[in-house]
């Protein structure tokens, strides 16, 4: 298993892996699929020739934010279980804060994998259902969650979006998924990035997470809320074993 690290952000990890991937293509354009493009979470593609395609759910708030983006060459919104994903068309698939808001994340992940070329990378950012923050987010009733969002989240944050948090949206869940699909997790890190921890009431949100950690006797950690992974699609099924 890859080493689990705590990091400040994802930019360095993803940027390094993307440049390594592009260098291995001997100058060919990098084809990138951004799944979860409704949130303004751009990739660091400076100095890399790339074409970026975005997909996300068709929700009003996501349509508005997606249409305002300037870093997408094309984009489609719809049901991610059926939205077209050309087979073996992408060198990098970026899954940004998408899985925790889907009812069937494994189905969507499998569809995204069909679009990933052999040797390609899947870059994942997701809220951890097993963290104190993720636990609060998924257990809050929807009306209360919408009310608190306006008070806690920064003004420029997109949302509130659905909070499903199926089992795959955890470190153990994602590693199990990768194992059954023959994928290699090359990087695995965590950090704190929850919107409520950046708003006007960030101190109160941090206190609530600490209280949840204490009540769970350390089972639900407050030290992080986000999981960051780099996952490689091997060139062959046996590459993972070798």
């Amino acid at each position: 298993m890859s080493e689990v690290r705590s990091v400040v952000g994802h930019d360095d990890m993803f940027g390094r892996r993307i440049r390594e991937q592009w260098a291995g293509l001997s100058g060919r354009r990098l084809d990138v699929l951004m799944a979860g493009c409704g949130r303004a979470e751009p990739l660091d593609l400076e100095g890399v020739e790339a074409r970026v395609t975005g997909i996300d759910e068709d929700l009003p708030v996501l349509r508005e934010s997606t249409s305002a983006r300037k870093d997408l060459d094309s984009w489609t919104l719809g049901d991610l279980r059926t939205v077209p994903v050309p087979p073996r068309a992408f060198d990098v698939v970026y899954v940004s804060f998408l899985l925790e808001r889907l009812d069937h994340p494994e189905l969507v992940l499998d569809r995204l994998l069909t679009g990933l070329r052999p040797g390609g990378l899947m870059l994942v950012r997701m809220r951890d259902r097993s963290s104190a923050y993720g636990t609060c987010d998924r257990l809050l009733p929807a009306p209360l969650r919408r009310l608190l969002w306006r008070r806690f989240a920064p003004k420029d944050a997109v949302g509130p979006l659905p909070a499903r948090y199926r089992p795959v949206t955890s470190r153990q869940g994602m590693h199990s998924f990768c194992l059954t699909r023959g994928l290699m997790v090359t990087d695995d890190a965590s950090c704190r990035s929850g919107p409520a921890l950046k708003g006007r009431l960030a101190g109160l949100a941090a206190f609530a997470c600490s209280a949840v950690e204490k009540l769970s006797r350390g089972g639900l950690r407050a030290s992080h809320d986000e999981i960051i992974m780099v996952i490689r699609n091997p060139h062959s099924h046996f590459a993972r074993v070798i």
Side-chain angles (χ1 to χ4, degrees):
M1 181 182 293
S2 59
E3 180 184 2
V4 178
R5 300 178 288 132
S6 294
V7 297
V8 175
H10 68 288
D11 293 344
D12 290 343
M13 179 192 297
F14 286 174
R16 183 174 66 254
R17 295 303 186 189
I18 286 172
R19 283 163 179 74
E20 291 172 357
Q21 189 75 2
W22 187 54
L25 297 178
S26 301
R28 177 174 66 78
R29 182 190 70 193
L30 199 68
D31 293 310
V32 179
L33 176 63
M34 187 172 292
C37 65
R39 289 176 53 108
E41 301 286 348
L43 278 172
D44 177 12
L45 296 173
E46 184 178 356
V48 175
E49 181 186 359
R51 176 177 175 80
V52 183
T53 302
I55 59 173
D56 209 329
E57 299 176 284
D58 193 2
L59 301 175
V61 64
L62 295 178
R63 180 169 290 277
E64 179 181 357
S65 59
T66 300
S67 61
R69 296 188 66 155
K70 305 300 182 183
D71 58 333
L72 301 177
D73 294 288
S74 63
W75 52 272
T76 302
L77 302 184
D79 187 337
L80 296 184
R81 294 172 297 177
T82 59
V83 69
V85 178
R88 297 192 175 194
F90 301 99
D91 304 292
V92 175
V93 174
Y94 179 35
V95 186
S96 176
F97 296 112
L98 172 68
L99 302 178
E100 63 268 28
R101 53 185 167 93
L102 299 178
D103 282 314
H104 306 285
E106 292 92 345
L107 293 179
V108 174
L109 277 171
D110 282 332
R111 295 199 72 248
L112 296 176
L113 285 171
T114 65
L116 190 60
R117 291 171 176 142
L121 298 179
M122 177 176 285
L123 312 177
V124 176
R125 299 184 68 191
M126 65 181 181
R127 208 68 64 199
D128 183 6
R129 79 186 305 270
S130 298
S131 67
Y133 187 102
T135 299
C136 292
D137 195 28
R138 67 186 172 91
L139 293 183
L140 280 175
L144 179 58
R145 187 169 175 269
R146 286 193 294 270
L147 176 63
L148 292 178
W149 179 270
R150 291 194 292 269
R151 296 176 181 271
F152 280 81
K155 292 183 178 180
D156 59 346
V158 176
L161 298 173
R164 306 294 187 237
Y165 286 93
R166 302 312 184 200
V168 75
T169 58
S170 66
R171 178 163 279 113
Q172 181 179 356
M174 183 56 72
H175 276 277
S176 296
F177 176 88
C178 291
L179 182 63
T180 59
R181 271 66 172 183
L183 305 170
M184 297 187 296
V185 179
T186 63
D187 299 271
D188 182 343
S190 58
C191 70
R192 297 179 69 184
S193 66
L197 298 172
K198 300 178 180 179
R200 294 175 300 166
L201 302 177
L204 182 56
F207 175 80
C209 290
S210 296
V212 169
E213 180 178 25
K214 186 175 181 179
L215 289 172
S216 68
R217 298 182 179 181
L220 303 171
R221 302 295 298 276
S223 58
H224 80 279
D225 58 80
E226 178 186 344
I227 294 175
I228 306 165
M229 288 185 176
V230 178
I231 301 165
R232 183 173 295 280
N233 184 26
H235 287 280
S236 73
H237 177 72
F238 300 101
R240 178 175 60 86
V241 179
I242 297 173

